[in-house]
Amino acid sequence: MFSIFMNGQDKTNQITDWRLWSKENQMMVTVGFPSGKLFTKPLVFCKITPQKEIQAGLLSREENVYQQIDKSTEYGNKYVVVNYPNDQKKYVMKSGNVRIIASSGLKNENIFSYFTEIAKERVRHASPTNKPMAENIERQLKKITLYKGTALHSYCYGKNEARDSLEHFIFPFGLNESKLEAVENAFSSQISIIEGPPVTGKTQTISNIISNILVNKKSVAIVSNNNPAVENVYEKMAKKELDYLVAKLGSSTNKTGFFSGVKEVPLYNFESAVVTPKS
């Protein structure tokens, strides 16, 4: 439900449709009547409800593509007016075509202060070899912009949101009962932690998770605080001839090596893959 007042008069039940648009960066409201006539007024002379405002956040117009915004205001559950950083222009978008994620106040919480203090201590006690990495972590932690709905926000506030899992899974790297459960949980939860002693198949499980992400035409970042852990995942992917899907980035050497020798797509034998329906 929505309502539109123009010059203090309620037009809600008199109109057939309405539109919010921009004219020389001024918001305008145009309403249509059953007779076919149109009536236009600047938004400052109108009141549209419901109205929802979000200060600082992320806007997504395409899946997994986000833009930082200074402010957004939604009118009548139909249009969103967006302000981008360092841009005075106002942009009008249909609410159904965008998603707004509000910023998080996590930086003001004690738990984030704890993280920053730990980063400082790592710099203070790091060896000359490890100090550049520790300094980079501290620098990135200071630059990070936090948003509600992210894994970091949920982790720090102890909230693990449920996710719609996949209908079918593949297990090209093999499985047992615990690995099956771990893979399924990774797709049904916002945050999933897989732990176990060495040589129990954690890398194998991660490789199965990655495979299910890729087969569903999604992308994934594989990160670690040490290079061998990431390299182990890459080696397992390479044994299944899936290394052509992996971009080994990070250092300038890795980037140069990846773009100078992009691998060709091999011919696959799918007979070894195990497909399991969702339980």
Side-chain angles (χ1 to χ4, degrees):
M1 296 295 293
F2 69 94
S3 64
I4 296 181
F5 287 76
M6 306 180 81
N7 289 335
Q9 297 181 354
D10 188 353
K11 302 291 185 180
T12 309
N13 296 324
Q14 303 174 29
I15 63 176
T16 56
D17 199 5
W18 64 282
R19 182 168 67 95
L20 184 64
W21 53 287
S22 178
K23 179 182 179 181
E24 297 178 353
N25 210 33
Q26 182 181 24
M27 292 299 104
M28 308 294 292
V29 180
T30 297
V31 297
F33 295 91
S35 64
K37 290 185 178 181
L38 301 177
F39 184 67
T40 300
K41 273 285 181 182
L43 180 59
V44 293
F45 297 112
C46 304
K47 180 182 178 182
I48 304 175
T49 59
Q51 181 176 321
K52 183 171 66 175
E53 186 173 296
I54 293 179
Q55 295 284 351
L58 285 179
L59 177 143
S60 173
R61 284 189 289 180
E62 299 177 27
E63 190 174 6
N64 297 324
V65 178
Y66 296 90
Q67 293 175 291
Q68 190 171 351
I69 61 173
D70 275 344
K71 176 184 175 182
S72 73
T73 307
E74 185 179 48
Y75 296 92
N77 296 319
K78 187 176 181 181
Y79 292 100
V80 176
V81 178
V82 174
N83 295 83
Y84 291 103
N86 305 314
D87 188 349
Q88 297 299 317
K89 186 177 179 180
K90 298 178 180 179
Y91 297 85
V92 182
M93 308 171 188
K94 288 190 175 181
S95 298
N97 297 335
V98 300
R99 186 164 69 97
I100 307 292
I101 303 174
S103 59
S104 168
L106 183 57
K107 281 190 175 180
N108 300 322
E109 300 294 330
N110 290 334
I111 192 165
F112 195 82
S113 298
Y114 170 76
F115 284 154
T116 55
E117 288 301 318
I118 290 295
K120 290 178 183 178
E121 287 299 315
R122 289 187 64 182
V123 172
R124 204 170 290 131
H125 296 283
S127 66
T129 303
N130 296 328
K131 194 167 185 177
M133 176 64 74
E135 289 175 335
N136 183 56
I137 293 173
E138 182 186 20
R139 186 165 55 250
Q140 296 299 327
L141 197 58
K142 289 179 179 178
K143 291 170 57 178
I144 191 171
T145 304
L146 300 171
Y147 298 97
K148 295 179 181 179
T150 62
L152 178 59
H153 176 92
S154 297
Y155 176 82
C156 292
Y157 281 101
K159 298 178 181 179
N160 192 7
E161 298 178 5
R163 293 286 189 261
D164 292 331
S165 190
L166 303 177
E167 185 175 357
H168 300 283
F169 293 93
I170 63 171
F171 295 88
F173 294 90
L175 78 158
N176 56 27
E177 185 176 354
S178 63
K179 293 183 179 67
L180 172 63
E181 183 180 1
V183 173
E184 289 181 338
N185 287 341
F187 286 91
S188 61
S189 303
Q190 184 183 25
I191 301 171
S192 185
I193 298 175
I194 301 170
E195 60 180 353
V199 202
T200 55
K202 294 187 297 297
T203 302
Q204 185 180 24
T205 302
I206 291 171
S207 300
N208 278 325
I209 292 172
I210 294 169
S211 299
N212 282 280
I213 293 172
L214 296 178
V215 80
N216 283 277
K217 300 180 181 180
K218 307 291 184 180
S219 59
V220 55
I222 308 164
V223 297
S224 175
N225 62 349
N226 62 78
N227 290 327
V230 177
E231 191 64 31
N232 286 341
V233 175
Y234 177 80
E235 289 174 357
K236 281 197 174 293
M237 300 290 287
K239 286 181 180 179
K240 294 290 184 178
E241 296 185 323
L242 294 171
D243 51 326
Y244 79 96
L245 294 167
V246 181
K248 295 178 68 175
L249 305 177
S251 68
S252 57
T253 302
N254 285 346
K255 293 176 185 177
T256 302
F258 170 73
F259 287 107
S260 63
V262 177
K263 297 181 179 294
E264 295 183 358
V265 181
L267 296 175
Y268 282 117
N269 177 9
F270 291 98
E271 294 179 359
S272 60
V274 180
V275 181
T276 302
K278 181 181 176 182
S279 57

